[in-house]
Amino acid sequence: MNDEQRNLPTPAEKLTPPTPRLSSPAPIQTHGLTAERVAKIVSQSGSARMTALLGIAVVTLFVLVYAFYDQGLPGVVGSSRMEAAREEIYLDTVKRGYNLYEANCARCHGEQGQGGIGPVLNDQGKLLAHLSPAYLHNVLTVGGRYICGDANSLMGVWADSNGGPLNYREIEELIAWIRATKDDVIKVQDPATGEMVEVTGWRDAAYVPAADATPVPACWKDAFAVSPSPSPSGGEPTPMPTDTGGGTGGSYTIVAMGVKFDLTSLEVEANKAFSLIFDNQDAGIPHNVAIHEGTASAVGKELWQGAIFPGIATQTYSVPSLAAGTYSFICTVHPNMVGDLVVK
């Protein structure tokens, strides 16, 4: 017998049927669903559907309740949490703008925007048609000389992007205060009493100009208060305590740069008039030097004021003689620029 004959399958092997690929033991194949098992499966399926529906209902109810809580009830004013949060943020912005205005702008434009060295700001016609957020942003960013084409404008640059002292957020906060309405109420600290007082904005949101009202010009140069140089204490400047019999003193120099003086203290001779060379190196920003009673830490009433002018420029002031004592020199436009003047 050769090898091929030995490898051939036997007849019995040919007749054996193949084993099914998917097979299971006989007991499992013969096991069927009973009525009790079917009822149990149906019951479990119904419970699962009910649980799912209940979960969907709970989630839907939560979403609706939160939406009404967040957005407010339809037709109910003041019921929106989001609106209340926006109002709180807005009033906080207005409050910061008020503090910036009092520190930097009230000196020229008045504490209530009534004008002074600078023009009136609280006029309803100007607030409606002229002092828009875009205009205010432009004039604070590039200064009055560019906006109005007036080379002698004292409105300097305030944005730090052009060399001013305020960053972009402070500019927006300042605009928010100037544009605040009479319905916007903020609480601020009264510097005189230290108590919290309520302050409202200037703008009347319901203001409508008369039919024959004159349109507000783009640059309202004539809208100034009666007094162009208000004293910081609210009264008229007191006479300079001078003694003209002492002759002429020396010459001194003060430089303004970066909205600050280069000196924090200056010593001059008593009872002698002197020359004060003021070098304003802040381009487009108005400064001056004024002499006040009191020290730099407790500035009093104004005694003498030098001319205000924008930089970059230099002027020489002729300052009358002063009696011996300690005074303060200060920038009328930027009261944070201050130093001690020692006369002896």
Side-chain angles (χ1 to χ4, degrees):
M1 181 180 294
N2 56 30
D3 293 338
E4 292 181 356
Q5 290 176 335
R6 282 197 296 268
N7 292 331
L8 290 174
T10 63
E13 292 175 338
K14 292 181 180 180
L15 297 176
T16 302
T19 302
R21 295 182 61 189
L22 300 176
S23 62
S24 59
I28 296 179
Q29 291 180 344
T30 59
H31 182 75
L33 292 175
T34 63
E36 292 80 5
R37 182 168 177 78
V38 171
K40 185 176 181 180
I41 292 174
V42 172
S43 176
Q44 290 175 342
S45 177
S47 298
R49 286 196 298 270
M50 184 61 67
T51 302
L53 290 174
L54 182 60
I56 293 173
V58 170
V59 171
T60 303
L61 181 61
F62 173 79
V63 170
L64 290 174
V65 170
Y66 185 82
F68 286 131
Y69 165 71
D70 198 49
Q71 302 294 332
L73 297 173
V76 180
V77 179
S79 62
S80 171
R81 181 193 67 86
M82 185 174 290
E83 186 63 32
R86 280 196 293 263
E87 180 70 10
E88 183 179 355
I89 293 172
Y90 167 71
L91 290 178
D92 189 52
T93 300
V94 170
K95 181 177 179 179
R96 289 196 296 268
Y98 169 85
N99 291 329
L100 286 168
Y101 179 89
E102 291 297 309
N104 298 283
C105 311
R107 186 79 178 180
C108 290
H109 295 282
E111 292 185 0
Q112 298 299 322
Q114 73 273 20
I117 297 173
V120 174
L121 297 179
N122 63 2
D123 180 272
Q124 295 302 320
K126 291 184 72 174
L127 289 169
L128 175 68
H130 175 40
L131 298 178
S132 65
Y135 173 85
L136 291 170
H137 187 275
N138 285 340
V139 76
L140 289 168
T141 301
V142 301
R145 293 189 302 165
Y146 295 93
I147 293 296
C148 295
D150 182 3
N152 297 318
S153 174
L154 297 180
M155 180 62 189
V157 174
W158 287 92
D160 61 359
S161 57
N162 286 330
L166 303 182
N167 60 39
Y168 76 96
R169 182 171 180 176
E170 291 170 326
I171 293 292
E172 296 301 325
E173 291 167 349
L174 185 55
I175 293 172
W177 162 247
I178 296 174
R179 295 287 304 166
T181 71
K182 294 182 178 181
D183 295 328
D184 297 327
V185 182
I186 58 174
K187 288 188 176 182
V188 298
Q189 188 176 38
D190 187 336
T193 64
E195 297 180 354
M196 300 301 291
V197 295
E198 288 189 349
V199 176
T200 63
W202 305 329
R203 185 166 60 92
D204 183 359
Y207 171 77
V208 177
D212 58 348
T214 303
V216 177
C219 290
W220 197 352
K221 299 180 182 179
D222 298 328
F224 290 84
V226 176
S227 174
S229 302
S231 170
S233 59
E236 293 297 324
T238 56
M240 193 79 155
T242 61
D243 182 351
T244 58
T248 302
S251 179
Y252 308 89
T253 300
I254 295 178
V255 179
M257 181 177 292
V259 196
K260 61 182 180 180
F261 291 134
D262 66 328
L263 301 177
T264 57
S265 180
L266 176 65
E267 185 176 308
V268 301
E269 294 182 77
N271 303 320
K272 290 185 178 181
F274 60 93
S275 296
L276 181 60
I277 302 171
F278 180 48
D279 183 7
N280 183 358
Q281 288 295 310
D282 284 334
I285 300 179
H287 294 307
N288 77 327
V289 178
I291 297 175
H292 288 241
E293 294 178 344
T295 63
S297 59
V299 178
K301 186 171 291 188
E302 182 180 284
L303 302 176
W304 173 88
Q305 182 186 114
I308 302 172
F309 61 94
I312 297 174
T314 301
Q315 287 193 20
T316 300
Y317 299 137
S318 296
V319 184
S321 60
L322 290 164
T326 301
Y327 305 85
S328 55
F329 61 91
I330 186 172
C331 174
T332 303
V333 182
H334 305 98
N336 59 298
M337 300 171 60
V338 64
D340 287 315
L341 179 63
V342 181
V343 182
K344 60 181 182 179

